[in-house]
Amino acid sequence: MSLRLRPVLRILQGTHNKHFSTATKVKDEQASQLCSFRTIENNPTHHNMNYIGKLYKVPLDIQQQLFQIGGFPKQFVIQANTFQEYAIMVRQPAVEIISYLTQADYTRPVNKYVIYGKHGTGKSITLAHILHYAFVQKYIIVHLMWGYHWFHNMKEVANSVLSPGCMDLPIDAGFWLKQFKVQNLNLLTQLDLRTSKDYTWNQHEMTSQGTPILGMIEFGMSRVKYACGVVDALLKELKLASTAGKCKTLVAIDGFNAFTSEETDIRDDNKVSVPPKKVTLAIPFLDITKGGDWCNGAVVLTVDKIATFTNGESHLPRYLLGKEGFEHLDPFLPVQVDEYNSAEFDSMIEYYKERKWIRSITPEGQKELELITNKNPLTLMKQCSFL
């Protein structure tokens, strides 16, 4: 925001006190129940069109398990930590997909949903809302926080020990197994899922048929050399378990078009770029999102221009996925996330005012803020960020 605009907006931001008194917290919680921009209904199962534009708090215990390692955009996390709460706005795209998941016929092959929209409109937050729903509904969650990282910010690249001609990302695979275990620990313990066959890793190490899935995951975390193979085995076992009715599985990938781009920073021994279909960590995710050979689950993906090196302006799935990627997912249901409407924009301004992030703002200043941000959620967050 330019210096010229700041006096007009009269946004006076004070330093947040991270140590609220107990009395203040109680007072804030009681007051929030009366706010038109909040709802005390924090179970996404109950969210419908009547809750559109209202913010709800993700319960702390769910936040610590489901989003302990990540799942929200970095700037949102910084803001949420400042506000001492993770508040998600109930928006139409999330409510729409949740209604589809509620009504789906899970005896048929999995339905696929592709969330798209301009950058900064809230696709990742929409996906987080759906993840919260899946967690409450006891789905096994197969969640990738941001596809771009595996192909451009990878930790280590090595020739595959189990799939000759392909490349491993062992550290990233080990990290993902840890995330999967944290997100699903309680459910995996209750369901007691076990492997359907033997998996041989080398001459001396194997995972026998009937081994608890958790045991195989822990092996992959401790022996990252074989972590990519463990991820492949895990996703195959989840497909079998879901189809057999032992569990429901939700696959959620943010920035899926990174999987369908030929441009990666992964290089083989000849310094040639390796496409995702030759990366052992990506192959099982491409397989499970194909979706035709398993049921009792769902696939929810986002596509975004910044997930690839796309130079064009289109944010539509056909353009971002490319012909091959589009055909890989087809058929799927596209769900668009737009900028805030006027009611949602006003709710967010009221939320910032309640959190003392905006101390005061005139109607004229709010209108100007609406114009310069075009009601884009990310742009609004940046314009109202700390000085």
Side-chain angles (χ1 to χ4, degrees):
M1 186 184 302
S2 68
L3 293 176
R4 179 182 66 82
L5 292 172
R6 291 191 184 276
V8 177
L9 297 177
R10 298 182 187 175
I11 299 175
L12 304 175
Q13 298 169 318
T15 303
H16 246 55
N17 183 353
K18 294 185 178 180
H19 304 285
F20 295 106
S21 67
T22 303
T24 302
K25 283 185 178 180
V26 172
K27 184 178 179 180
D28 284 349
E29 290 175 357
Q30 292 174 341
S32 69
Q33 296 181 17
L34 305 176
C35 294
S36 60
F37 58 89
R38 276 191 185 270
T39 174
I40 58 174
E41 180 54 76
N42 59 19
N43 185 341
T45 305
H46 302 145
H47 290 161
N48 54 42
M49 299 301 288
N50 296 326
Y51 292 92
I52 298 294
K54 296 182 181 293
L55 290 103
Y56 81 96
K57 289 197 294 186
V58 179
L60 184 60
D61 59 332
I62 294 178
Q63 173 201 323
Q64 290 176 338
Q65 181 172 353
L66 186 56
F67 302 111
Q68 179 188 125
I69 296 178
F72 288 105
K74 182 178 180 180
Q75 190 145 359
F76 179 89
V77 172
I78 294 172
Q79 177 179 278
N81 290 337
T82 303
F83 293 168
Q84 296 191 327
E85 64 177 26
Y86 278 65
I88 294 177
M89 181 180 288
V90 180
R91 303 189 67 196
Q92 187 272 334
V95 171
E96 181 181 344
I97 293 175
I98 287 171
S99 71
Y100 296 149
L101 293 174
T102 303
Q103 301 173 57
D105 181 355
Y106 286 94
T107 64
R108 302 181 65 84
V110 294
N111 292 327
K112 290 169 279 187
Y113 309 92
V114 175
I115 301 170
Y116 72 100
K118 295 179 181 178
H119 180 59
T121 53
K123 299 182 291 296
S124 296
I125 305 298
T126 297
L127 187 63
H129 193 172
I130 295 164
L131 283 169
H132 186 185
Y133 165 83
F135 183 87
V136 171
Q137 290 296 307
K138 298 187 181 301
Y139 285 73
I140 294 289
I141 293 173
V142 178
H143 175 213
L144 176 56
M145 294 181 288
W146 187 234
Y148 178 92
H149 288 320
W150 281 359
F151 308 110
H152 302 284
N153 296 330
M154 54 283 171
K155 305 298 182 184
E156 181 185 359
V157 178
N159 290 310
S160 177
V161 295
L162 299 174
S163 303
C166 295
M167 304 302 291
D168 278 350
L169 305 177
I171 295 178
D172 291 290
F175 182 86
W176 185 84
L177 287 170
K178 178 182 178 181
Q179 175 199 334
F180 178 85
K181 179 183 175 181
V182 169
Q183 289 180 319
N184 297 283
L185 181 59
N186 294 342
L187 193 54
L188 287 173
T189 303
Q190 294 170 17
L191 296 175
D192 190 30
L193 300 178
R194 296 176 179 270
T195 56
S196 61
K197 65 177 186 178
D198 295 341
Y199 292 94
T200 301
W201 311 114
N202 56 46
Q203 291 182 342
H204 306 290
E205 295 175 297
M206 67 176 295
T207 298
S208 303
Q209 179 181 350
T211 299
I213 291 291
L214 274 173
M216 184 171 67
I217 292 170
E218 288 166 358
F219 170 78
M221 291 167 56
S222 61
R223 299 281 279 125
V224 293
K225 181 178 181 180
Y226 303 104
C228 292
V230 170
V231 171
D232 183 50
L234 171 62
L235 268 56
K236 287 178 179 176
E237 291 293 339
L238 289 177
K239 286 168 58 177
L240 292 172
S242 294
T243 302
K246 297 178 181 179
C247 64
K248 278 186 179 180
T249 302
L250 179 82
V251 179
I253 301 176
D254 202 359
F256 179 76
N257 50 309
F259 283 77
T260 63
S261 171
E262 293 296 313
E263 294 292 329
T264 74
D265 289 332
I266 301 172
R267 299 287 185 268
D268 61 18
D269 293 340
N270 298 318
K271 307 300 180 183
V272 176
S273 178
V274 178
K277 60 187 176 183
K278 290 291 186 179
V279 178
T280 53
L281 184 54
I283 292 171
F285 286 86
L286 287 168
D287 176 62
I288 201 170
T289 54
K290 185 71 175 176
D293 60 346
W294 67 288
C295 64
N296 206 23
V299 176
V300 184
L301 313 169
T302 76
V303 293
D304 196 298
K305 286 196 295 184
I306 66 170
T308 59
F309 287 129
T310 303
N311 295 319
E313 295 301 319
S314 178
H315 60 271
L316 299 178
R318 175 62 180 83
Y319 180 83
L320 294 175
L321 290 167
K323 181 178 183 295
E324 188 175 343
F326 189 91
E327 292 175 351
H328 172 83
L329 293 178
D330 190 46
F332 64 86
L333 180 67
V335 178
Q336 184 170 7
V337 181
D338 289 316
E339 282 87 0
Y340 288 144
N341 59 35
S342 295
E344 291 171 335
F345 182 85
D346 291 343
S347 288
M348 188 55 66
I349 293 297
E350 291 302 313
Y351 176 66
Y352 284 153
K353 288 161 68 175
E354 184 216 48
R355 294 285 93 188
K356 303 298 186 291
W357 198 234
I358 294 177
R359 288 300 181 91
S360 66
I361 183 170
T362 64
E364 295 79 10
Q366 183 167 328
K367 186 64 176 177
E368 187 166 354
L369 188 59
E370 182 178 325
L371 291 172
I372 64 175
T373 63
N374 196 30
K375 293 182 287 192
N376 181 282
L378 178 60
T379 305
L380 176 63
M381 186 184 298
K382 288 180 176 179
Q383 293 287 8
C384 294
S385 63
F386 53 86
L387 301 176

